[in-house]
Amino acid sequence: CEIVAVIDRLKVVNIGYGWGGAISLVSIFDPNEWRSASRSRATGLCARFYIGLENENDIAEDILRALY
């Protein structure tokens, strides 16, 4: 899956769920997994980023490097 490959290339942002901590994290989710009243038009997997307190340039460079 392409989104998994992108996340695997991240070095500054770690895989995990954000609970208000100070480190940047990313998690993969299905946009329709928990919806009960209606369905999203989104299909496939999505990534949710939790941005922490690392240097903003390091985070941006990490995400851009992983995408390209």
Side-chain angles (χ1 to χ4, degrees):
C1 181
E2 187 175 338
I3 192 69
V4 174
V6 168
I7 289 173
D8 283 343
R9 290 191 291 267
L10 293 169
K11 303 292 183 213
V12 175
V13 180
N14 296 302
I15 297 172
Y17 291 98
W19 298 102
I23 62 170
S24 294
L25 300 169
V26 62
S27 62
I28 300 171
F29 70 100
D30 178 338
N32 287 304
E33 185 176 308
W34 298 314
R35 293 178 69 104
S36 60
S38 64
R39 302 288 290 173
S40 169
R41 287 182 276 186
T43 59
L45 297 176
C46 296
R48 176 177 286 138
F49 285 85
Y50 308 89
I51 302 305
L53 298 176
E54 298 89 355
N55 180 282
E56 64 268 17
N57 292 324
D58 293 343
I59 296 169
E61 288 173 11
D62 191 37
I63 294 170
L64 289 173
R65 183 179 58 251
L67 288 171
Y68 302 104

